[in-house]
Amino acid sequence: MWRLHERTHPALTDEGGALLDEHTGRWIHLTPTATAAVLLLLSSTSQQQAADRFAERYGIPRSRAADDVGAVADVLTAQGLATRAEAQPSRRRPRWGWRR
């Protein structure tokens, strides 16, 4: 499952959408198509489901939709604005400030 980090806030705009990274205070502006990909990623249970819905919405081949949605997901993940939550959470014990 793909999701935005807690410090990343989406907003719809007249030109598509934007993401606010509260860590840096910068806005990342998205095209209307990238905004649709983000919304579908957030509302889907998997990237493949988002790509299938993207293909259906825009009437494009599923392989192209998978590439387009994957590119948006990869860029936002690489920029630290999103994460892929497929992995199990760490079961490490919390550190209390002392060293071993």
Side-chain angles (χ1 to χ4, degrees):
M1 174 179 233
W2 185 91
R3 63 183 174 88
L4 294 174
H5 279 289
E6 289 180 14
R7 62 179 171 79
T8 304
H9 306 281
L12 294 175
T13 66
D14 290 339
E15 296 84 27
L19 300 173
L20 172 62
D21 181 353
E22 74 178 36
H23 180 71
T24 64
R26 296 184 67 189
W27 285 93
I28 292 82
H29 298 277
L30 305 171
T31 65
T33 322
T35 300
V38 168
L39 292 174
L40 289 169
L41 283 161
L42 292 173
S43 66
S44 299
T45 58
S46 69
Q47 188 168 318
Q48 184 59 49
Q49 182 186 35
D52 290 344
R53 293 170 65 194
F54 193 84
E56 185 177 318
R57 171 178 278 175
Y58 291 103
I60 60 174
R62 293 192 188 284
S63 61
R64 178 169 173 203
D67 290 344
D68 292 350
V69 169
V72 170
D74 291 345
V75 167
L76 294 178
T77 301
Q79 290 181 353
L81 299 171
T83 185
R84 297 179 199 280
E86 277 94 43
Q88 292 293 329
S90 172
R91 296 192 185 265
R92 293 178 30 196
R93 295 185 333 189
R95 295 196 56 155
W96 301 103
W98 64 83
R99 294 182 185 207
R100 295 182 190 196

